[in-house]
Amino acid sequence: MSGLFNYPKRKLRKLISQGEYEKAIEFGNELEAKFSQDPDFLFIMGSMFYMLNDEKNTLHYIDRVLEIKPDDVESLSLKLRVHQFLKENDIVIDCCKKILAIAPDNFEVRDLISELESQS
Protein backbone atom coordinates (compact mmCIF):
# COMPACT_ATOMS: atom_id res chain seq x y z
CA MET A 1 0.00 0.00 0.00
CA SER A 2 2.82 2.43 0.76
CA GLY A 3 3.89 2.09 -2.88
CA LEU A 4 0.95 4.27 -3.87
CA PHE A 5 2.64 7.23 -2.24
CA ASN A 6 5.50 6.84 -4.72
CA TYR A 7 2.95 7.34 -7.49
CA PRO A 8 0.73 10.21 -6.38
CA LYS A 9 -1.20 10.48 -9.67
CA ARG A 10 -2.02 6.78 -9.45
CA LYS A 11 -3.29 7.28 -5.89
CA LEU A 12 -5.38 10.23 -7.06
CA ARG A 13 -6.92 8.16 -9.88
CA LYS A 14 -7.65 5.36 -7.42
CA LEU A 15 -9.46 7.68 -5.01
CA ILE A 16 -11.55 9.00 -7.89
CA SER A 17 -12.37 5.53 -9.24
CA GLN A 18 -13.47 4.50 -5.74
CA GLY A 19 -15.78 7.51 -5.54
CA GLU A 20 -13.73 9.09 -2.76
CA TYR A 21 -14.10 12.55 -4.29
CA GLU A 22 -13.69 14.54 -1.09
CA LYS A 23 -10.41 12.75 -0.33
CA ALA A 24 -9.34 13.07 -3.97
CA ILE A 25 -9.92 16.84 -3.94
CA GLU A 26 -8.01 17.17 -0.69
CA PHE A 27 -5.14 15.03 -1.98
CA GLY A 28 -5.13 16.85 -5.32
CA ASN A 29 -4.90 20.18 -3.55
CA GLU A 30 -1.87 18.87 -1.63
CA LEU A 31 -0.21 17.80 -4.90
CA GLU A 32 -1.01 20.91 -6.89
CA ALA A 33 2.13 22.90 -6.09
CA LYS A 34 4.36 20.02 -7.15
CA PHE A 35 2.35 19.13 -10.27
CA SER A 36 1.12 22.58 -11.33
CA GLN A 37 2.72 22.21 -14.77
CA ASP A 38 1.90 18.51 -15.25
CA PRO A 39 -0.83 18.22 -17.90
CA ASP A 40 -1.73 14.68 -16.81
CA PHE A 41 -2.34 15.79 -13.22
CA LEU A 42 -4.33 18.82 -14.38
CA PHE A 43 -6.44 16.64 -16.69
CA ILE A 44 -7.15 14.17 -13.88
CA MET A 45 -8.32 17.02 -11.66
CA GLY A 46 -10.41 18.57 -14.44
CA SER A 47 -12.00 15.23 -15.26
CA MET A 48 -12.89 14.65 -11.62
CA PHE A 49 -14.61 18.03 -11.40
CA TYR A 50 -16.41 17.22 -14.66
CA MET A 51 -17.79 14.06 -13.06
CA LEU A 52 -18.90 16.19 -10.10
CA ASN A 53 -20.71 18.61 -12.46
CA ASP A 54 -18.49 21.48 -11.36
CA GLU A 55 -18.08 23.41 -14.61
CA LYS A 56 -16.01 26.24 -13.11
CA ASN A 57 -13.30 23.96 -11.69
CA THR A 58 -13.38 21.70 -14.74
CA LEU A 59 -12.61 24.65 -17.00
CA HIS A 60 -9.99 25.96 -14.56
CA TYR A 61 -7.95 22.76 -14.87
CA ILE A 62 -8.65 22.01 -18.52
CA ASP A 63 -7.69 25.53 -19.60
CA ARG A 64 -4.40 25.05 -17.73
CA VAL A 65 -3.79 21.81 -19.64
CA LEU A 66 -4.45 23.63 -22.89
CA GLU A 67 -1.95 26.37 -21.96
CA ILE A 68 0.70 23.65 -21.75
CA LYS A 69 -0.57 21.40 -24.56
CA PRO A 70 -2.84 23.44 -26.88
CA ASP A 71 -3.31 20.47 -29.21
CA ASP A 72 -4.57 18.01 -26.57
CA VAL A 73 -7.70 16.60 -28.21
CA GLU A 74 -9.02 15.00 -25.01
CA SER A 75 -8.83 18.31 -23.15
CA LEU A 76 -10.39 20.19 -26.05
CA SER A 77 -13.19 17.61 -26.13
CA LEU A 78 -13.84 17.99 -22.41
CA LYS A 79 -13.81 21.79 -22.74
CA LEU A 80 -16.23 21.46 -25.67
CA ARG A 81 -18.65 19.37 -23.57
CA VAL A 82 -18.64 21.84 -20.69
CA HIS A 83 -19.29 24.81 -22.97
CA GLN A 84 -21.96 22.82 -24.80
CA PHE A 85 -23.68 22.22 -21.44
CA LEU A 86 -23.39 25.95 -20.70
CA LYS A 87 -24.88 26.66 -24.16
CA GLU A 88 -21.86 28.75 -25.13
CA ASN A 89 -21.99 27.80 -28.80
CA ASP A 90 -19.30 30.21 -30.02
CA ILE A 91 -16.75 28.56 -27.73
CA VAL A 92 -18.03 25.09 -28.72
CA ILE A 93 -17.52 25.94 -32.41
CA ASP A 94 -14.01 27.23 -31.64
CA CYS A 95 -13.17 23.96 -29.82
CA CYS A 96 -14.57 21.96 -32.73
CA LYS A 97 -12.38 23.84 -35.21
CA LYS A 98 -9.29 23.25 -33.07
CA ILE A 99 -10.06 19.54 -32.76
CA LEU A 100 -10.66 19.19 -36.50
CA ALA A 101 -7.36 20.95 -37.25
CA ILE A 102 -5.63 18.25 -35.21
CA ALA A 103 -7.88 15.26 -35.99
CA PRO A 104 -9.75 15.96 -39.26
CA ASP A 105 -11.32 12.50 -39.22
CA ASN A 106 -13.28 13.18 -36.01
CA PHE A 107 -16.74 12.77 -37.50
CA GLU A 108 -18.60 13.36 -34.24
CA VAL A 109 -17.05 16.81 -33.94
CA ARG A 110 -17.54 17.46 -37.67
CA ASP A 111 -21.26 16.67 -37.30
CA LEU A 112 -21.55 18.86 -34.20
CA ILE A 113 -19.93 21.89 -35.82
CA SER A 114 -22.13 21.50 -38.91
CA GLU A 115 -25.21 21.40 -36.71
CA LEU A 116 -24.16 24.45 -34.69
CA GLU A 117 -23.14 26.50 -37.71
CA SER A 118 -26.45 25.77 -39.41
CA GLN A 119 -28.28 27.16 -36.35
CA SER A 120 -26.37 30.46 -36.53
PDB file of all heavy atoms in Angstrom, residues 96 100 106-118:
ATOM      1  N   CYS A  96     -14.399  22.888 -31.607  1.00  0.00           N
ATOM      2  CA  CYS A  96     -14.574  21.959 -32.730  1.00  0.00           C
ATOM      3  C   CYS A  96     -13.542  22.220 -33.816  1.00  0.00           C
ATOM      4  O   CYS A  96     -12.917  21.282 -34.344  1.00  0.00           O
ATOM      5  CB  CYS A  96     -15.974  22.080 -33.324  1.00  0.00           C
ATOM      6  SG  CYS A  96     -17.304  21.408 -32.314  1.00  0.00           S
ATOM      7  N   LEU A 100     -10.713  19.623 -35.104  1.00  0.00           N
ATOM      8  CA  LEU A 100     -10.664  19.194 -36.502  1.00  0.00           C
ATOM      9  C   LEU A 100      -9.334  19.549 -37.160  1.00  0.00           C
ATOM     10  O   LEU A 100      -8.887  18.835 -38.073  1.00  0.00           O
ATOM     11  CB  LEU A 100     -11.835  19.788 -37.282  1.00  0.00           C
ATOM     12  CG  LEU A 100     -13.192  19.183 -36.925  1.00  0.00           C
ATOM     13  CD1 LEU A 100     -14.313  19.930 -37.631  1.00  0.00           C
ATOM     14  CD2 LEU A 100     -13.243  17.695 -37.254  1.00  0.00           C
ATOM     15  N   ASN A 106     -12.371  13.271 -37.150  1.00  0.00           N
ATOM     16  CA  ASN A 106     -13.280  13.177 -36.005  1.00  0.00           C
ATOM     17  C   ASN A 106     -14.690  13.551 -36.471  1.00  0.00           C
ATOM     18  O   ASN A 106     -15.076  14.711 -36.465  1.00  0.00           O
ATOM     19  CB  ASN A 106     -12.809  14.094 -34.872  1.00  0.00           C
ATOM     20  CG  ASN A 106     -13.560  13.876 -33.591  1.00  0.00           C
ATOM     21  OD1 ASN A 106     -14.761  13.641 -33.600  1.00  0.00           O
ATOM     22  ND2 ASN A 106     -12.861  13.980 -32.486  1.00  0.00           N
ATOM     23  N   PHE A 107     -15.434  12.539 -36.887  1.00  0.00           N
ATOM     24  CA  PHE A 107     -16.742  12.770 -37.499  1.00  0.00           C
ATOM     25  C   PHE A 107     -17.779  13.269 -36.500  1.00  0.00           C
ATOM     26  O   PHE A 107     -18.677  14.029 -36.867  1.00  0.00           O
ATOM     27  CB  PHE A 107     -17.228  11.499 -38.209  1.00  0.00           C
ATOM     28  CG  PHE A 107     -16.345  11.128 -39.357  1.00  0.00           C
ATOM     29  CD1 PHE A 107     -15.487  10.038 -39.265  1.00  0.00           C
ATOM     30  CD2 PHE A 107     -16.338  11.889 -40.514  1.00  0.00           C
ATOM     31  CE1 PHE A 107     -14.650   9.714 -40.322  1.00  0.00           C
ATOM     32  CE2 PHE A 107     -15.503  11.573 -41.574  1.00  0.00           C
ATOM     33  CZ  PHE A 107     -14.652  10.472 -41.485  1.00  0.00           C
ATOM     34  N   GLU A 108     -17.662  12.881 -35.257  1.00  0.00           N
ATOM     35  CA  GLU A 108     -18.598  13.357 -34.240  1.00  0.00           C
ATOM     36  C   GLU A 108     -18.493  14.880 -34.101  1.00  0.00           C
ATOM     37  O   GLU A 108     -19.493  15.586 -34.063  1.00  0.00           O
ATOM     38  CB  GLU A 108     -18.307  12.678 -32.902  1.00  0.00           C
ATOM     39  CG  GLU A 108     -19.266  13.051 -31.798  1.00  0.00           C
ATOM     40  CD  GLU A 108     -18.932  12.348 -30.486  1.00  0.00           C
ATOM     41  OE1 GLU A 108     -18.327  11.257 -30.501  1.00  0.00           O
ATOM     42  OE2 GLU A 108     -19.282  12.910 -29.442  1.00  0.00           O
ATOM     43  N   VAL A 109     -17.273  15.373 -34.057  1.00  0.00           N
ATOM     44  CA  VAL A 109     -17.047  16.814 -33.943  1.00  0.00           C
ATOM     45  C   VAL A 109     -17.452  17.508 -35.250  1.00  0.00           C
ATOM     46  O   VAL A 109     -18.053  18.578 -35.227  1.00  0.00           O
ATOM     47  CB  VAL A 109     -15.574  17.110 -33.577  1.00  0.00           C
ATOM     48  CG1 VAL A 109     -15.259  18.590 -33.687  1.00  0.00           C
ATOM     49  CG2 VAL A 109     -15.282  16.609 -32.171  1.00  0.00           C
ATOM     50  N   ARG A 110     -17.160  16.891 -36.370  1.00  0.00           N
ATOM     51  CA  ARG A 110     -17.544  17.456 -37.666  1.00  0.00           C
ATOM     52  C   ARG A 110     -19.063  17.613 -37.748  1.00  0.00           C
ATOM     53  O   ARG A 110     -19.576  18.641 -38.190  1.00  0.00           O
ATOM     54  CB  ARG A 110     -17.039  16.558 -38.799  1.00  0.00           C
ATOM     55  CG  ARG A 110     -17.235  17.144 -40.185  1.00  0.00           C
ATOM     56  CD  ARG A 110     -16.678  16.220 -41.258  1.00  0.00           C
ATOM     57  NE  ARG A 110     -15.278  15.888 -41.062  1.00  0.00           N
ATOM     58  CZ  ARG A 110     -14.264  16.646 -41.481  1.00  0.00           C
ATOM     59  NH1 ARG A 110     -14.506  17.762 -42.111  1.00  0.00           N
ATOM     60  NH2 ARG A 110     -13.025  16.269 -41.277  1.00  0.00           N
ATOM     61  N   ASP A 111     -19.794  16.601 -37.295  1.00  0.00           N
ATOM     62  CA  ASP A 111     -21.263  16.672 -37.296  1.00  0.00           C
ATOM     63  C   ASP A 111     -21.762  17.763 -36.346  1.00  0.00           C
ATOM     64  O   ASP A 111     -22.691  18.502 -36.672  1.00  0.00           O
ATOM     65  CB  ASP A 111     -21.875  15.328 -36.878  1.00  0.00           C
ATOM     66  CG  ASP A 111     -21.674  14.242 -37.926  1.00  0.00           C
ATOM     67  OD1 ASP A 111     -21.320  14.571 -39.084  1.00  0.00           O
ATOM     68  OD2 ASP A 111     -21.859  13.056 -37.580  1.00  0.00           O
ATOM     69  N   LEU A 112     -21.140  17.863 -35.181  1.00  0.00           N
ATOM     70  CA  LEU A 112     -21.555  18.864 -34.196  1.00  0.00           C
ATOM     71  C   LEU A 112     -21.348  20.279 -34.732  1.00  0.00           C
ATOM     72  O   LEU A 112     -22.241  21.121 -34.634  1.00  0.00           O
ATOM     73  CB  LEU A 112     -20.787  18.677 -32.882  1.00  0.00           C
ATOM     74  CG  LEU A 112     -21.059  19.707 -31.795  1.00  0.00           C
ATOM     75  CD1 LEU A 112     -22.541  19.706 -31.387  1.00  0.00           C
ATOM     76  CD2 LEU A 112     -20.176  19.445 -30.588  1.00  0.00           C
ATOM     77  N   ILE A 113     -20.189  20.536 -35.328  1.00  0.00           N
ATOM     78  CA  ILE A 113     -19.926  21.889 -35.822  1.00  0.00           C
ATOM     79  C   ILE A 113     -20.872  22.227 -36.972  1.00  0.00           C
ATOM     80  O   ILE A 113     -21.357  23.355 -37.079  1.00  0.00           O
ATOM     81  CB  ILE A 113     -18.444  22.100 -36.204  1.00  0.00           C
ATOM     82  CG1 ILE A 113     -18.145  23.593 -36.371  1.00  0.00           C
ATOM     83  CG2 ILE A 113     -18.079  21.339 -37.455  1.00  0.00           C
ATOM     84  CD1 ILE A 113     -16.673  23.921 -36.521  1.00  0.00           C
ATOM     85  N   SER A 114     -21.175  21.257 -37.807  1.00  0.00           N
ATOM     86  CA  SER A 114     -22.129  21.498 -38.911  1.00  0.00           C
ATOM     87  C   SER A 114     -23.498  21.860 -38.355  1.00  0.00           C
ATOM     88  O   SER A 114     -24.141  22.785 -38.836  1.00  0.00           O
ATOM     89  CB  SER A 114     -22.252  20.252 -39.798  1.00  0.00           C
ATOM     90  OG  SER A 114     -21.037  19.997 -40.447  1.00  0.00           O
ATOM     91  N   GLU A 115     -23.917  21.124 -37.336  1.00  0.00           N
ATOM     92  CA  GLU A 115     -25.209  21.397 -36.706  1.00  0.00           C
ATOM     93  C   GLU A 115     -25.255  22.792 -36.084  1.00  0.00           C
ATOM     94  O   GLU A 115     -26.201  23.543 -36.283  1.00  0.00           O
ATOM     95  CB  GLU A 115     -25.473  20.328 -35.640  1.00  0.00           C
ATOM     96  CG  GLU A 115     -26.759  20.517 -34.867  1.00  0.00           C
ATOM     97  CD  GLU A 115     -26.887  19.509 -33.733  1.00  0.00           C
ATOM     98  OE1 GLU A 115     -26.420  18.367 -33.877  1.00  0.00           O
ATOM     99  OE2 GLU A 115     -27.450  19.886 -32.688  1.00  0.00           O
ATOM    100  N   LEU A 116     -24.191  23.141 -35.360  1.00  0.00           N
ATOM    101  CA  LEU A 116     -24.164  24.452 -34.690  1.00  0.00           C
ATOM    102  C   LEU A 116     -24.067  25.604 -35.686  1.00  0.00           C
ATOM    103  O   LEU A 116     -24.720  26.629 -35.503  1.00  0.00           O
ATOM    104  CB  LEU A 116     -22.991  24.508 -33.709  1.00  0.00           C
ATOM    105  CG  LEU A 116     -23.111  23.623 -32.479  1.00  0.00           C
ATOM    106  CD1 LEU A 116     -21.830  23.643 -31.671  1.00  0.00           C
ATOM    107  CD2 LEU A 116     -24.283  24.054 -31.605  1.00  0.00           C
ATOM    108  N   GLU A 117     -23.275  25.429 -36.723  1.00  0.00           N
ATOM    109  CA  GLU A 117     -23.135  26.502 -37.709  1.00  0.00           C
ATOM    110  C   GLU A 117     -24.426  26.698 -38.509  1.00  0.00           C
ATOM    111  O   GLU A 117     -24.719  27.807 -38.924  1.00  0.00           O
ATOM    112  CB  GLU A 117     -21.953  26.243 -38.628  1.00  0.00           C
ATOM    113  CG  GLU A 117     -20.626  26.452 -37.931  1.00  0.00           C
ATOM    114  CD  GLU A 117     -19.413  26.189 -38.791  1.00  0.00           C
ATOM    115  OE1 GLU A 117     -19.502  25.399 -39.757  1.00  0.00           O
ATOM    116  OE2 GLU A 117     -18.360  26.775 -38.481  1.00  0.00           O
ATOM    117  N   SER A 118     -25.181  25.621 -38.685  1.00  0.00           N
ATOM    118  CA  SER A 118     -26.452  25.774 -39.414  1.00  0.00           C
ATOM    119  C   SER A 118     -27.503  26.483 -38.574  1.00  0.00           C
ATOM    120  O   SER A 118     -28.444  27.045 -39.112  1.00  0.00           O
ATOM    121  CB  SER A 118     -26.975  24.396 -39.860  1.00  0.00           C
ATOM    122  OG  SER A 118     -27.423  23.656 -38.744  1.00  0.00           O
TER     123      SER A 118
END
